[in-house]
Amino acid sequence: MTEVSSLTGRLLVATPALADPNFDRAVVLLLDHDEEGSLGVVLNRPTPVGVADILAPWAELAGEPGVVFQGGPVSLDSALGVAVVPGGPSGEGAPSPGAGAGTRTGGAVGGAAGAPPGSTSREDPRATDTADGAGPGDEPLGWRRVHGAIGLVDLEAPPELLAAVLGSLRIFAGYAGWGPGQLEEELVEGAWYVVESEPGDVSSPDPEQLWRAVLRRQRNELAMVATYPDDPSLN
């Protein structure tokens, strides 16, 4: 198999050509990407459900808006926490392998070849070996680095373990998963732009505008895509 260059920690930004309603104008943070597949969460799909309604102990640490976000179409009955710990390595550092210890509850991952973008099978992140990652002392207890200052929160841990160090927290229901080679195929087809993430993307107070904001900050022709109308027929 051809070696896959890891995109862990980067953003997938849906192109205007991506017609799947699950990912229309989606901004996906990739939490894991290797030759076995990819896994990420959609950062700009807030739901009406408050964090306090399903994970009350973590509600005070959740950034505004304090709601659960739909992370993707896979395993919607699972919860996954992504948080920023300020003062960590910059986003330019090498991502740690795997994406474990960030979920709570949930069922099996479904999907099959030929499924819509981001909806096919990828191993549940709970199954990742937690022996991977940075060495002792590099990470606060209950938080696992994914890329730079962005990491996964162990939602089974007491929130007070992280209360003093978390800069922001998002709770996601479900995630987006791709099987081996599927994301690469979608990139070739032009479904996604790949750009660098920033810690503030995780906790944007205006998630509905995140798609345009991420594109607008690019120093190339992608900045022009941010002006693309929601309804192309009006252009």
Side-chain angles (χ1 to χ4, degrees):
M1 179 179 294
T2 303
E3 183 177 352
V4 174
S5 178
S6 179
L7 299 177
T8 299
R10 299 225 182 150
L11 297 179
L12 299 178
V13 182
T15 69
L18 182 53
D20 184 344
N22 285 314
F23 297 100
D24 180 48
R25 301 296 195 271
V27 178
V28 179
L29 173 66
L30 279 176
L31 301 174
D32 196 10
H33 173 244
D34 56 27
E35 65 277 1
E36 296 181 0
S38 307
L39 182 148
V41 288
V42 180
L43 297 178
N44 55 338
R45 291 286 193 274
T47 75
V49 180
V51 174
D53 295 333
I54 63 167
L55 287 171
W58 292 97
E60 291 187 7
L61 298 180
E64 292 296 329
V67 299
V68 176
F69 282 63
Q70 183 171 330
V74 181
S75 198
L76 288 172
D77 57 348
S78 68
L80 185 148
V82 178
V84 171
V85 171
S90 70
E92 296 176 356
S96 59
T103 61
R104 181 175 181 176
T105 76
V109 176
S119 63
T120 192
S121 177
R122 171 60 170 162
E123 185 178 358
D124 191 319
R126 289 174 299 169
T128 304
D129 184 357
T130 57
D132 293 338
D138 290 344
E139 303 172 357
L141 202 60
W143 180 85
R144 175 182 172 76
R145 180 173 290 112
V146 170
H147 182 79
I150 301 171
L152 283 157
V153 173
D154 181 0
L155 297 176
E156 298 287 355
E160 50 269 25
L161 280 179
L162 290 166
V165 297
L166 285 191
S168 60
L169 169 68
R170 277 280 192 262
I171 302 296
F172 297 90
Y175 56 90
W178 292 262
Q182 186 187 7
L183 178 56
E184 288 72 24
E185 292 176 4
E186 292 179 11
L187 293 175
V188 170
E189 293 167 358
W192 304 97
Y193 304 121
V194 180
V195 303
E196 295 293 336
S197 64
E198 296 182 0
D201 297 331
V202 173
S203 57
S204 171
D206 192 9
E208 289 89 350
Q209 295 301 314
L210 187 61
W211 185 83
R212 295 188 188 280
V214 169
L215 290 172
R216 196 175 294 121
R217 74 184 185 222
Q218 305 307 311
R219 298 180 180 179
N220 52 36
E221 64 275 8
L222 290 186
M224 294 299 297
V225 181
T227 65
Y228 198 85
D230 292 334
D231 184 352
S233 66
L234 300 178
N235 191 10

